[in-house]
């Protein structure tokens, strides 16, 4: 089943708890939390303290995407804050296998992400050790960016690699997901669709998520 993960990067920060509760009521499957440090990406967002504060707003899984340098330093803090999934970047972790092991030792689902220009070969050996592969379809750092069309073949290739090496791994796509392209992204192989501004920038969250799920409901074309 395809899943929708609203990214709170695009939510109203002054009423974050209400925004999270609203997308849960609207049918979201998980909450995507973008953590940025101002070094790995040119933006600074939230830390474990705020994640802990908003944990009480929902029972949905927290999908925490660490776009930070030295992510191994913060696994413990985000685990304690209430993360259910923690995804780190292959470009930011010197000891990738060790950091993935740290996440799993906390009883959490572990993911690895790639920037648009990073080749899939960088994650081939780690696939059997993770639960999630996240393909970025914009350059990370800011919400509201346009989907990079050249990433569709990469999503297809990622899904094929998963099928061959670790079929249980879920494929997540983050960046520029809209009602216009969500079906094409799903057909390319995505299992989890992260959507920020297309949900939180809409007038009615429930209608938008329902429309997305309707587009995803039809049988996916095998690529």
């Amino acid at each position: 089943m395809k899943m929708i993960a609203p990214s709170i990067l695009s939510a109203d920060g002054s009423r974050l708890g209400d925004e999270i509760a609203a997308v849960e009521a609207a049918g979201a499957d998980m909450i995507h939390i973008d953590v940025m440090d101002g070094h790995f990406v040119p933006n600074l967002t939230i830390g474990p303290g705020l994640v802990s504060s908003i944990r009480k707003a929902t029972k949905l899984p927290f999908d925490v995407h660490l776009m930070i340098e030295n992510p191994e330093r913060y696994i413990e803090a985000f685990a304690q804050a209430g993360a259910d999934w923690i995804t780190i970047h292959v470009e930011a972790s010197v000891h990738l296998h060790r950091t993935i092991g740290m996440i799993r030792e906390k009883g959490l689902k572990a993911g690895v992400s790639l920037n648009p220009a990073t080749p899939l070969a960088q994650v081939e050996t780690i696939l059997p050790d993770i639960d999630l592969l996240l393909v970025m379809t914009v350059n990370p750092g800011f919400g509201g960016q346009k989907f990079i069309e050249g990433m569709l073949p990469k999503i297809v290739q990622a899904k094929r690699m998963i099928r061959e090496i670790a079929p249980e791994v879920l494929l997540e796509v983050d960046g520029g997901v809209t009602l216009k392209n969500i079906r094409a992204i799903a057909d390319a192989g995505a299992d989890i669709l992260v959507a920020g501004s297309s949900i939180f920038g809409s007038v009615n969250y429930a209608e938008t998520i329902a429309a997305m799920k309707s587009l995803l409901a039809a049988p996916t074309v095998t690529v």
Side-chain angles (χ1 to χ4, degrees):
M1 181 184 72
K2 306 292 184 180
M3 293 178 279
I4 302 293
S7 170
I8 61 171
L9 181 64
S10 299
D12 182 348
S14 69
R15 46 189 298 273
L16 206 47
D18 292 339
E19 291 275 72
I20 291 170
V23 291
E24 178 178 19
D29 298 293
M30 59 179 63
I31 301 297
H32 188 82
I33 302 173
D34 290 306
V35 177
M36 307 180 190
D37 62 1
H39 297 283
F40 179 65
V41 293
N43 197 0
L44 187 65
T45 57
I46 68 178
L50 185 54
V51 173
S52 179
S53 295
I54 61 177
R55 178 66 277 185
K56 65 178 73 74
T58 181
K59 294 182 179 179
L60 290 179
F62 273 6
D63 174 26
V64 177
H65 179 194
L66 299 184
M67 288 177 272
I68 62 177
E69 294 179 354
N70 304 308
E72 66 279 358
R73 297 180 182 177
Y74 303 96
I75 302 304
E76 175 72 28
F78 281 102
Q80 290 186 359
D84 297 284
W85 303 66
I86 293 181
T87 297
I88 60 175
H89 270 259
V90 64
E91 305 91 351
S93 183
V94 176
H95 303 289
L96 189 61
H97 284 82
R98 181 185 300 166
T99 307
I100 290 299
M102 291 172 62
I103 296 170
R104 288 196 144 177
E105 286 171 6
K106 298 300 178 184
L108 308 181
K109 301 288 188 180
V112 169
S113 182
L114 306 105
N115 286 337
T118 303
L120 288 166
Q122 294 287 332
V123 297
E124 187 172 356
T125 59
I126 198 71
L127 271 182
D129 301 308
I130 63 177
D131 303 286
L132 176 75
L133 176 62
L134 170 54
V135 173
M136 292 298 299
T137 46
V138 298
N139 290 295
F142 299 96
Q145 297 184 68
K146 185 178 179 181
F147 180 86
I148 300 172
E149 294 297 331
M151 290 297 103
L152 275 176
K154 186 176 184 180
I155 298 168
V156 172
Q157 293 166 11
K159 192 63 173 182
R160 286 176 179 167
M161 189 171 71
I162 287 171
R163 289 188 186 121
E164 293 172 2
I165 299 173
E168 299 303 314
V169 170
L170 295 175
L171 179 58
E172 184 173 57
V173 171
D174 181 4
V177 176
T178 67
L179 284 167
K180 292 182 178 180
N181 62 23
I182 193 169
R183 181 54 198 263
I185 296 168
D187 282 349
D191 301 299
I192 302 172
L193 292 302
V194 177
S197 56
S198 58
I199 292 176
F200 288 108
S202 68
V203 175
N204 188 306
Y205 300 166
E207 288 182 359
T208 300
I209 292 175
M212 287 180 169
K213 291 199 168 187
S214 177
L215 288 167
L216 296 174
T220 301
V221 177
T222 302
V223 179

